[in-house]
């Protein structure tokens, strides 16, 4: 028997939603793993010493599960952690599942999208390459609505509006005293493709020019004259966090969304981004291209 999901008919019943790990949970997992290694203990030895199940310990150290307070205290006792350091880790455990405004949207969003929003909200910097769309953080409401309707043709009006509202809410990251630092590189095709209507595109490009003049937002375009380049393989985002929190690469594709945090993957995408920056127009040249594109639309 088939059931209907938010976006249409699917096969088997969906699995229960699994909340994506927050940056705090990832940091807690990393700190506990480091403390165990510094103590010279294997996971098996810790399991025997604390009566914490070995499988549970593995899930805690890989950020797949939040430790209960009594479990955390048992681990910290085993590692000899006291004082301010212990208080810091207990605070991380308490805050590890904070979801803030995202909770009100999660019912209509995919696990992958909620994971992106959650990690993005805790990042200090995002480097984003886009080959087909304006980055979500820089989209106008009308452009976002037109894009979502196009890529999710079976979505209801209510589902589209929920997505639009979530996308607009994300953009609050670019405001405030300590906004997210955003560096966006776009292929020129993004500016030439008419999404929604000529009016929507004209407004969108004018919005890009306005945002690109802000001190914490940098926009570069790769002109058609640059020819083939590594970004033609697809769009990606590298989220960068405070020290001791590893970067995360997010890739959105038809085959599914991916989150990569292995050091080799992060280095590869950071290197690719540097190459794209080198072949792109300068920010000033990009603003001139935006002005020209706006006139064309």
């Amino acid at each position: 028997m088939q059931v209907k999901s938010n976006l249409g008919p699917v096969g088997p019943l969906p699995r229960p939603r699994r909340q994506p790990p927050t940056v705090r949970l990832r940091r807690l997992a990393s700190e506990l793993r480091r403390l165990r290694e510094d103590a010279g203990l294997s996971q098996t030895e810790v399991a025997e010493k604390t009566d914490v199940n070995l499988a549970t310990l593995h899930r805690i150290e890989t950020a797949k599960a939040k430790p209960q307070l009594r479990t955390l205290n048992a681990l910290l006792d085993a590692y000899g952690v006291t004082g301010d350091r212990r208080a810091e880790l207990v605070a991380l455990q308490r805050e590890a599942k904070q979801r803030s405004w995202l909770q009100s949207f999660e019912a209509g969003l995919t696990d992958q999208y909620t994971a992106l929003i959650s990690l993005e909200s805790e990042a200090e910097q995002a480097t984003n390459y886009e080959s087909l769309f304006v980055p979500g953080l820089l989209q106008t409401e009308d452009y976002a609505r037109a894009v979502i309707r196009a890529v999710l043709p079976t979505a209801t009006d209510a589902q589209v509006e929920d997505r639009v509202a979530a996308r607009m809410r994300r953009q609050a990251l670019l405001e405030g005293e300590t906004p997210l630092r955003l560096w966006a590189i776009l292929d020129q095709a993004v500016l030439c493709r008419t999404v929604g209507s000529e009016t929507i595109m004209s407004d969108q490009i004018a919005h890009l020019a306005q945002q690109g003049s802000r001190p914490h937002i940098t926009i570069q375009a790769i002109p058609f004259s640059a020819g083939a380049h590594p970004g033609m393989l697809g769009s990606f985002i590298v989220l960068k966090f405070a020290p001791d929190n590893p970067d995360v690469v997010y890739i959105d594709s038809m085959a599914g969304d991916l989150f990569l945090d292995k050091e080799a993957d992060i280095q590869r995408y950071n290197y690719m981004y540097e190459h794209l920056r080198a072949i792109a127009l300068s920010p000033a040249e990009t603003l001139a291209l935006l002005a020209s594109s706006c006139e064309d639309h």
Side-chain angles (χ1 to χ4, degrees):
M1 186 179 84
Q2 286 194 334
V3 297
K4 287 191 175 181
S5 71
N6 286 336
L7 298 181
V10 294
L13 287 169
R15 296 178 181 178
R17 292 180 63 85
R18 181 178 64 84
Q19 297 287 6
T22 64
V23 170
R24 294 179 182 88
L25 184 57
R26 293 169 62 234
R27 182 182 171 195
L28 179 61
S30 176
E31 292 293 332
L32 290 174
R33 185 170 61 251
R34 183 182 297 116
L35 286 169
R36 175 180 59 76
E37 292 170 350
D38 289 346
L41 298 171
S42 68
Q43 286 187 339
T44 300
E45 289 170 330
V46 172
E48 294 172 351
K49 188 179 181 71
T50 63
D51 291 329
V52 175
N53 181 275
L54 184 60
T56 299
L57 181 59
H58 175 75
R59 288 176 57 79
I60 290 172
E61 290 193 357
T62 54
K64 291 183 172 65
K66 172 188 172 182
Q68 296 182 358
L69 183 57
R70 64 175 179 272
T71 300
L72 177 61
N73 282 326
L75 295 175
L76 297 180
D77 287 342
Y79 305 148
V81 180
T82 60
D84 291 343
R85 182 73 175 123
R86 188 182 187 108
E88 178 187 358
L89 294 172
V90 170
L92 271 180
Q93 184 269 352
R94 185 172 58 250
E95 300 168 356
K97 288 284 188 175
Q98 286 185 355
R99 313 298 302 172
S100 65
W101 64 269
L102 183 57
Q103 290 177 337
S104 61
F105 287 96
E106 283 185 337
L109 303 178
T110 64
D111 287 345
Q112 294 90 345
Y113 193 49
T114 57
L116 170 64
I117 296 174
S118 177
L119 293 172
E120 185 181 68
S121 68
E122 300 186 59
E124 291 189 347
Q125 180 179 357
T127 55
N128 187 182
Y129 167 73
E130 292 290 343
S131 59
L132 297 174
F133 305 112
V134 170
L137 289 174
L138 298 175
Q139 292 179 5
T140 65
E141 183 174 335
D142 287 340
Y143 181 97
R145 184 174 291 107
V147 164
I148 293 168
R149 286 191 185 282
V151 301
L152 297 176
T154 62
T156 66
D157 288 345
Q159 290 163 352
V160 169
E161 292 307 316
D162 280 348
R163 287 265 187 156
V164 172
R167 189 159 301 180
M168 294 301 101
R169 183 62 180 81
R170 285 171 57 198
Q171 296 179 5
L173 295 172
L174 300 176
E175 310 300 330
E177 295 182 359
T178 56
L180 177 73
R181 300 194 306 276
L182 174 63
W183 197 305
I185 299 178
L186 321 174
D187 192 280
Q188 188 176 351
V190 173
L191 307 177
C192 295
R193 182 182 300 277
T194 300
V195 173
S197 70
E198 296 288 355
T199 300
I200 288 174
M201 281 305 301
S202 180
D203 291 344
Q204 175 62 75
I205 293 172
H207 181 69
L208 279 175
Q210 180 186 41
Q211 293 292 84
S213 65
R214 304 177 72 183
H216 59 287
I217 299 175
T218 302
I219 300 176
Q220 290 181 265
I222 299 177
F224 291 139
S225 60
H229 59 79
M232 295 172 71
L233 292 173
S235 304
F236 62 91
I237 303 172
V238 182
L239 297 172
K240 300 176 182 294
F241 304 90
D244 298 327
N245 289 295
D247 296 351
V248 173
V249 177
Y250 171 74
I251 303 169
D252 183 4
S253 73
M254 289 293 291
D257 299 355
L258 298 176
F259 290 90
L260 309 176
D261 58 7
K262 292 183 179 178
E263 185 175 352
D265 292 325
I266 293 168
Q267 288 180 347
R268 179 160 52 94
Y269 277 91
N270 280 330
Y271 177 79
M272 185 186 302
Y273 202 82
E274 290 300 316
H275 186 85
L276 295 173
R277 285 176 58 183
I279 65 173
L281 298 175
S282 70
E285 292 169 330
T286 297
L287 288 176
L289 177 63
L290 290 173
S292 174
S293 297
C294 191
E295 292 176 359
D296 291 341
H297 284 287

